[in-house]
Amino acid sequence: MATGPDGAGSGRAAGPVTTATPATGAPGGETPRRRQRLVAGARRHWLFGLLFTVGGGLRLLLLYAYRPAFEFSGDSYAYLTLARMHQPDPMRPAGYPTLLGLLAHTDRLAVVPLVQHLAGLGIGVALYALLLRRRIHPAVAALAAAPVLLDAYQLDIEHFVMAETLFLALLVGALVALLWSPRPAPLACAAAGGLLAAAGLTRTLGVALGVLALGYLAIRRLGWLRLAAFALLFAAPLAAYASWYHSYHGQYALSGGDDAWLYGRVAPIADCAQLSLSPEQRILCSPHPPRDRPGPNYYVWADTSPRFQLTGTEDHRNELLGDFARQVIRHQPLDYARMVLAEVGHYFVPGRHTGYRDWPDGAWRFPDADTPHYFHISEPLLDFQEGHPARVVHEPAAGLLRGYQGFAYTPGPLLAVLVVLALTAVGLGLPRPRRPWPRQLWPRRPAAVDPPAETATDPPADAAAGAPADGRADAAVSMDARGTPPDPAPAGQAAGARSRGRWPRRAGRLARPAIQEPVLAERRRLGADCALLVALGLAVLVVPSATVCFDYRYMLPVLVLFPPAAALATRQFRLSDHGRAARR
């Protein structure tokens, strides 16, 4: 027994006593606790771990089955050529060629799909971590990350020498920076702006998404510093690149060819009888009725397209094409809107099918020996040194992937359901206006029961209610001196009012628990976040449908937008249920 300074026994040990666990010998049993945490973590994240493992296994199988990479003979050739050049291309921005220039130091084309498959897995991890941070149930968060991990079309596009995977990674990075914290730091906003600028330099669609993200920050009222940080880091790289582009091509832009693409988009519906065209522009009119005309790609790329019959400088031809397209949109707005809406709706229908005006779905399927030439994916491969490496296909692994793609894709109707869930969450997150009820809908009945007699020791009823002693209690209850409703009357006073034949005005509507304001703030934030994700996803579908053509490749970014939005909606529904329970 230890003794104190005065020699008296204290009854406790003189110093801390550490005990060793017999099984491990670690002080305090740290190893068993660590093991328990690992087991608990495995139980919590088992579904995502399973999906991640399957996604990784599919990517390894793809790297083995098709070597060294897939190439789309138009875009992939251009990107690989631009990786060795040091000037802006008239048609494609320099974001993806910059990445290829870095990977070119390996001298191995197979590195490109390897890096992109790793990026696809990283995107899934980032989405899962973001949703867990937002208090989404682990199973729901795992299901929201499943499309990008398992969708066969996503796996296919990651294997291409194409800009889509880089664009997707930059977009998800920006979303994580914006949505991670309730009030993102100025540095996070600046990072999001920079990432979206890089996305805009990878695919010009990123510029439209950056503008929507800027509107999101403005609507959330996060402060001028955060708004300015985002806008500066978003605009500066784009302005610098536009100036560089101008030094070579004479105009401030990120890429060219917009007039040709827009002409191809509207040519199938153009009614030249409604247009005011110059003799030169009459060449651009098709002699065939609209139902017999080919799709946009014919008018943009085919050698027999009317646009290649124009003469003059390139700027002059682009001016004629742009004016023709704008006249069609201006004079045939209903035809144009109907065409765009039909293309957007096509993404939400069941199955995978394309018409004669759409880009064929087979271009984004795992190829076999009978792949048609017009899919543009069976041309000889091109590597970093302009060589032509051999294309190697291992069966039956390739056959397994082709069979997998027959059913493993995100259905269009499911995407539509996810959008509806997210929009419902947006509505639940909108602030409710506080409108007082009419002061008196009908004459108040006289008191049926007199209040109990007060004793000398009890305070007057009016004083207990916090109202003036001159009988103006109703005025005190309805509005305080600042013009805001006061706290509701206590339960006892409400019961007394009911016993006298009247009900305290708005007592039930004004009762708010102390925790309700943080809950309301989170609900509004969830509504704004769902609105951002849905707006970005719809922009991803609408912009190509309005300016290029229908192509299932263009819908892949919604796999990282609509599912997380629906996952956040589940949190909104849960908070809404708690709010209704509290009001009851």
Side-chain angles (χ1 to χ4, degrees):
M1 180 178 296
T3 58
D6 56 356
S10 64
R12 62 179 65 179
V17 178
T18 59
T19 60
T21 304
T24 65
E30 285 296 329
T31 299
R33 283 198 293 269
R34 189 181 299 111
R35 186 180 299 113
Q36 291 174 359
R37 288 195 296 267
L38 291 175
V39 171
R43 290 176 178 174
R44 176 176 171 83
H45 306 295
W46 71 268
L47 181 56
F48 178 77
L50 176 63
L51 297 176
F52 182 86
T53 302
V54 174
L58 289 169
R59 285 165 171 82
L60 289 175
L61 183 64
L62 180 53
L63 288 169
Y64 167 76
Y66 294 99
R67 300 176 62 187
F70 293 154
E71 290 185 1
F72 186 79
S73 58
D75 291 349
S76 298
Y77 287 5
Y79 285 133
L80 288 166
T81 302
L82 291 172
R84 300 185 299 272
M85 298 177 63
H86 302 285
Q87 65 183 42
D89 182 66
M91 294 290 290
R92 298 168 183 84
Y96 189 61
T98 301
L99 173 64
L100 293 180
L102 296 175
L103 299 180
H105 295 296
T106 64
D107 292 331
R108 294 182 177 274
L109 185 63
V111 173
V112 177
L114 174 62
V115 170
Q116 293 178 167
H117 286 311
L118 291 175
L121 293 174
I123 290 171
V125 173
L127 291 177
Y128 184 68
L130 172 64
L131 294 175
L132 290 184
R133 170 78 175 184
R134 300 299 300 272
R135 302 180 182 178
I136 307 301
H137 191 279
V140 176
L143 293 176
V148 75
L149 290 174
L150 304 180
D151 192 294
Y153 285 82
Q154 176 64 31
L155 300 178
D156 180 85
I157 204 66
E158 290 174 11
H159 209 66
F160 269 92
V161 183
M162 297 279 281
E164 270 67 22
T165 305
L166 175 60
F167 176 80
L168 210 62
L170 294 170
L171 174 60
V172 171
L175 291 175
V176 170
L178 284 179
L179 306 184
W180 187 264
S181 300
R183 189 175 177 84
L187 185 60
C189 294
L195 289 170
L196 286 173
L201 295 176
T202 302
R203 286 184 57 194
T204 52
L205 173 63
V207 178
L209 304 187
V211 173
L212 291 175
L214 183 65
Y216 163 83
L217 290 175
I219 290 173
R220 285 202 59 198
R221 299 180 182 180
L222 296 176
W224 286 107
L225 178 60
R226 291 166 174 80
L227 195 66
F230 179 93
L232 178 63
L233 268 294
F234 175 67
L238 299 178
Y241 185 85
S243 299
W244 186 43
Y245 188 94
H246 175 268
S247 66
Y248 282 90
H249 304 291
Q251 59 178 339
Y252 291 96
L254 302 181
S255 65
D258 293 342
D259 294 324
W261 278 112
L262 193 58
Y263 163 72
R265 175 73 279 187
V266 303
I269 64 169
D271 183 1
C272 291
Q274 302 185 37
L275 310 179
S276 300
L277 302 176
S278 66
E280 281 185 290
Q281 288 176 313
R282 289 287 173 183
I283 300 174
L284 301 175
C285 297
S286 176
H288 305 289
R291 66 177 178 274
D292 297 332
R293 294 176 188 173
N297 283 286
Y298 166 80
Y299 292 98
V300 176
W301 299 113
D303 295 336
T304 56
S305 170
R307 84 180 186 93
F308 290 111
Q309 301 178 31
L310 295 175
T311 59
T313 64
E314 182 178 356
D315 291 341
H316 177 67
R317 295 196 301 270
N318 287 335
E319 182 180 354
L320 294 177
L321 292 171
D323 180 69
F324 181 93
R326 287 186 290 272
Q327 284 198 51
V328 173
I329 297 172
R330 187 166 59 249
H331 291 90
Q332 299 175 248
L334 294 180
D335 294 336
Y336 179 71
R338 186 160 46 245
M339 177 185 65
V340 174
L341 290 176
E343 302 282 34
V344 173
H346 191 168
Y347 291 108
F348 296 101
V349 300
R352 288 286 189 273
H353 61 86
T354 52
Y356 72 97
R357 289 182 177 175
D358 307 324
W359 187 256
D361 170 60
W364 315 119
R365 290 181 175 269
F366 298 120
D368 56 19
D370 300 324
T371 300
H373 175 76
Y374 58 82
F375 285 175
H376 292 270
I377 61 173
S378 57
E379 296 293 327
L381 296 177
L382 185 72
D383 61 15
F384 293 117
Q385 292 78 30
E386 296 187 351
H388 297 285
R391 180 183 281 111
V392 179
V393 179
H394 289 105
E395 299 287 355
L400 291 175
L401 289 170
R402 289 192 293 270
Y404 176 77
Q405 194 169 21
F407 65 90
Y409 56 84
T410 309
L414 176 60
L415 293 175
V417 171
L418 298 180
V419 172
V420 171
L421 292 175
L423 290 178
T424 304
V426 173
L428 292 175
L430 293 176
R432 299 295 188 270
R434 299 179 182 179
R435 296 180 179 176
W437 294 104
R439 184 169 285 273
Q440 192 168 343
L441 297 177
W442 52 79
R444 182 172 294 172
R445 292 179 295 174
V449 179
D450 292 334
E454 300 170 355
T455 62
T457 58
D458 294 332
D462 289 337
D470 57 359
R472 295 187 298 234
D474 289 338
V477 170
S478 62
M479 198 68 66
D480 65 7
R482 295 176 297 174
T484 58
D487 291 334
Q493 183 179 342
R498 287 195 297 271
S499 67
R500 293 192 295 271
R502 59 184 182 179
W503 192 268
R505 185 171 299 143
R506 301 177 65 206
R509 292 176 58 84
L510 291 175
R512 287 186 176 180
I515 197 174
Q516 193 169 0
E517 286 304 327
V519 171
L520 287 176
E522 184 179 0
R523 289 181 59 184
R524 291 172 185 172
R525 179 192 173 199
L526 287 168
D529 295 348
C530 289
L532 172 65
L533 295 173
V534 171
L536 294 177
L538 293 179
V540 164
L541 300 180
V542 170
V543 171
S545 298
T547 58
V548 186
C549 68
F550 176 88
D551 190 344
Y552 279 115
R553 170 170 59 115
Y554 296 140
M555 74 169 289
L556 292 177
V558 306
L559 301 183
V560 301
L561 297 170
F562 290 161
L568 292 175
T570 62
R571 174 71 177 171
Q572 183 76 287
F573 300 152
R574 184 177 180 183
L575 294 177
S576 179
D577 290 340
H578 288 333
R580 285 194 293 269
R583 285 192 294 271
R584 287 196 298 267

